[in-house]
Amino acid sequence: EAGVAQSPRYKIIEKRQSVAFWCNPISGHATLYWYQQILGQGPKLLIQFQNNGVVDDSQLPKDRFSAERLKGVDSTLKIQPAKLEDSAVYLCASSAQGNTEAFFGQGTRLTVV
Amino acid sequence: GEDVEQSLFLSVREGDSSVINCTYTDSSSTYLYWYKQEPGAGLQLLTYIFSNMDMKQDQRLTVLLNKKDKHLSLRIADTQTGDSAIYFCAEGRDDKIIFGKGTRLHILP
């Protein structure tokens, strides 16, 4: 069974630039999560989708972050414009049902300079 | 992650048992999880326990849950160098998974 795929693995951008991350969840998984993991901290939930609908985006900085999950499969997370404090690893995860076993991708490490 | 608390570091001698502790705050949590993260890698689910269970054992791993005290622990028997990683405690509630800050396990020779 293929795991959660994310790309790119690494990205370096200058502040005020835009960046987009892509996630392909495990086939058939209805729930998709985006987490932000700042160095030395645990993952923080940014947004959760159930199929193509948003379940929770209370922690998403909506002035600069946006996410979509068209057709309830792949998802993209965008930051526009980026700030230095956005430097982190962005993790995507999926699960067959919310609140049970979630599988994580390897993450995208973003460095904003 | 403020609702899930863990100590940040633990050092254990190779061959000894490691015990990583965690406290959480929401008694309505349905599942409690332990994830492992090795350097540069994503999160790997090690084990999880339903909130109506007290204990779960899986090979070298033993999870203990004290729901009254909202305390979760992970015991790794016969700790090996390959167990060196960051271990995250997480609680599942309202279809969300909330993580602690992680405990870095260091193995001493």
Side-chain angles (χ1 to χ4, degrees), chain B residues 4-46:
Chain B
V4 181
E5 299 287 338
Q6 308 177 234
S7 55
L8 295 181
F9 299 100
L10 178 65
S11 291
V12 174
R13 293 208 176 275
E14 189 175 359
D16 288 350
S17 292
S18 305
V19 179
I20 304 171
N21 295 301
C22 167
T23 57
Y24 59 99
T25 58
D26 195 330
S27 58
S28 66
S29 294
T30 312
Y31 298 84
L32 287 305
Y33 303 87
W34 283 104
Y35 280 84
K36 177 182 181 183
Q37 188 175 40
E38 295 180 89
L43 291 159
Q44 174 197 357
L45 179 65
L46 284 179

Side-chain angles (χ1 to χ4, degrees), chain A residues 37-43 109, chain B residues 8 37 86 88 100-102 104:
Chain A
Q37 186 177 18
I38 292 172
L39 185 66
Q41 297 184 20
R109 182 178 296 276
Chain B
L8 295 181
Q37 188 175 40
I86 300 175
F88 291 94
K101 290 188 176 182
R104 183 179 294 276

Side-chain angles (χ1 to χ4, degrees), chain B residues 12-14 81 106-109:
Chain B
V12 174
R13 293 208 176 275
E14 189 175 359
T81 55
H106 177 62
I107 314 302
L108 301 168

Side-chain angles (χ1 to χ4, degrees), chain A residues 19-37:
Chain A
V19 65
F21 313 128
W22 173 82
C23 173
N24 179 231
I26 292 173
S27 178
H29 280 192
T31 305
L32 185 147
Y33 311 83
W34 281 103
Y35 284 85
Q36 179 193 57
Q37 186 177 18

